[in-house]
Amino acid sequence: MSAIVRSIRKWVARQNFRARRSLIGRIPVKNIERLANVGWLMRSWCDVRWRATGVSRAELGRDLLGLPAEIAQRARAGILLEKLIDQRIYFGRAIRNGESLPDLDAVAQTLADEVRRLKSIAPGKPIFVSPFHYVSQYANIYVVEKMGALLGIDSLAVVSGVPQNQYGDDHALIPGIKVLYTYNDPNRGGLGVRVARALKRHGVAVLFSDVPPYTMHRYPMETVGVSMFGRNARIHNGVFRMGATFDALLLPFYLRFEQGRFKVRLFDPIRLADEGAPQRLAGDIEAALSENYPQWLTSGHPAMYSFAAAK
């Protein structure tokens, strides 16, 4: 009997997933932010933990970053907004056999044009394209995959610590991305070699240089001291160590989602071998937090960039 019950449960779970995929994959993008806000309010009425998490995200933006209350409060629904955008992009591409999103396509074109410009003025220098953790991981992956295609790169290397295949087979849906995974990767020590091979082959790789130290809780993170918001802080040093070895450039950017439209904030490129490179990146991270904290994917943790385990 238990085997029959398990089979029924699996069948019901599959049907629920298919129904959810069909529904969310067809939501108009312009309605996603409104749905996230309404969804957060409805769940917060009956889930104390959910409400407390949202409120703490808003309070940290208000108290630590000095954001106006009406802006900081937008962070309450940030978790749900990220999930809805992730699923809308993923499911939409799955049910439409590769849906195009014009706003993100335009962002990808902007990035590709900038990479070409940098290659023309600094030939031979590898480039790390660096999305910051904003709006949605799948939105960022969509953008860099399209950018790679515009640059003629068949398999763009992306250094990521995000679990794969959360909603299906990532490689089947996003074949233009080769994830150099870090979290729980038994061969994590060989990551630098794999990145070097990717840079040698294409001259371009993708990594998320704004990762806060506290998120790498399993592995001690090698960090470097900087100043952010007038206080001592620490950011990931790996990008500077690798960048100095290859004399590479870093091209940071972050996405913004407003009134159903995706936009990009592109920062000036950073030569990673320069002595002041860490502080320049810290300044970009600080600017992004000030400008778009409500859509920062890791908002709500009190440590932010103020603590890191020693290596």
Side-chain angles (χ1 to χ4, degrees):
M1 181 63 69
S2 60
I4 296 176
V5 171
R6 285 196 299 271
S7 297
I8 293 174
R9 287 176 176 173
K10 288 180 180 179
W11 182 85
V12 171
R14 285 196 300 269
Q15 299 310 309
N16 285 339
F17 177 79
R18 288 171 181 169
R20 182 162 56 91
R21 185 180 75 163
S22 179
L23 177 63
I24 296 177
R26 290 178 171 84
I27 295 174
V29 176
K30 64 181 181 181
N31 294 337
I32 290 178
E33 193 168 11
R34 186 180 303 127
L35 286 173
N37 291 329
V38 171
W40 183 85
L41 287 172
M42 292 178 63
R43 182 168 175 178
S44 67
W45 289 338
C46 56
D47 188 331
V48 175
R49 185 172 297 178
W50 180 266
R51 181 168 65 251
T53 299
V55 170
S56 68
R57 288 165 62 97
E59 288 180 344
L60 285 168
R62 183 195 64 201
D63 298 339
L64 289 182
L65 305 183
L67 298 176
E70 62 272 16
I71 294 178
Q73 285 179 355
R74 292 175 53 209
R76 297 180 304 178
I79 296 176
L80 186 53
L81 178 65
E82 174 196 0
K83 187 174 182 179
L84 281 175
I85 293 176
D86 276 351
Q87 294 183 350
R88 172 60 183 82
I89 292 174
Y90 196 93
F91 294 154
R93 298 185 75 181
I95 63 181
R96 293 181 178 86
N97 193 27
E99 177 187 34
S100 293
L101 298 169
D103 293 344
L104 294 180
D105 290 341
V107 172
Q109 185 67 63
T110 298
L111 290 172
D113 290 345
E114 181 64 8
V115 169
R116 292 192 187 100
R117 186 186 73 84
L118 293 176
K119 283 182 172 292
S120 68
I121 63 176
K125 287 187 182 297
I127 299 171
F128 285 109
V129 177
S130 179
F132 286 173
H133 287 81
Y134 286 84
V135 177
S136 153
Q137 291 284 23
Y138 277 107
N140 283 312
I141 291 299
Y142 179 103
V143 165
V144 296
E145 181 196 22
K146 294 290 185 180
M147 178 201 71
L150 290 169
L151 294 172
I153 300 174
D154 57 347
S155 183
L156 182 65
V158 177
V159 180
S160 173
V162 176
Q164 299 180 70
N165 304 324
Q166 297 183 70
Y167 306 116
D169 186 345
D170 286 357
H171 182 69
L173 191 65
I174 317 170
I177 293 295
K178 180 180 181 181
V179 178
L180 304 182
Y181 199 49
T182 57
Y183 188 69
N184 280 342
D185 187 343
N187 189 30
R188 184 173 180 269
L191 177 63
V193 175
R194 284 175 282 168
V195 172
R197 288 172 179 167
L199 287 176
K200 183 176 181 180
R201 182 180 179 188
H202 298 301
V204 180
V206 176
L207 56 78
F208 295 78
S209 62
D210 72 324
V211 56
Y214 73 83
T215 60
M216 297 295 286
H217 56 275
R218 176 165 179 172
Y219 299 101
M221 181 187 283
E222 179 187 355
T223 59
V224 58
V226 292
S227 175
M228 293 176 64
F229 299 103
R231 299 185 293 270
N232 291 333
R234 303 195 71 81
I235 59 176
H236 194 2
N237 189 52
V239 64
F240 303 107
R241 177 169 39 79
M242 286 192 294
T245 301
F246 304 127
D247 195 19
L249 300 174
L250 183 75
L251 182 60
F253 73 93
Y254 76 83
L255 295 178
R256 181 191 294 270
F257 185 70
E258 290 181 314
Q259 299 178 343
R261 300 292 302 272
F262 293 97
K263 300 178 181 178
V264 66
R265 164 76 145 93
L266 188 62
F267 294 99
D268 292 334
I270 300 171
R271 184 171 180 263
L272 291 169
D274 288 350
E275 184 178 352
Q279 187 56 53
R280 283 193 58 191
L281 176 59
D284 292 344
I285 294 172
E286 182 178 339
L289 283 169
S290 299
E291 295 166 0
N292 201 29
Y293 171 80
Q295 294 179 354
W296 188 38
L297 301 185
T298 55
S299 65
H301 195 287
M304 296 184 72
Y305 292 92
S306 300
F307 170 80
K311 183 173 181 180

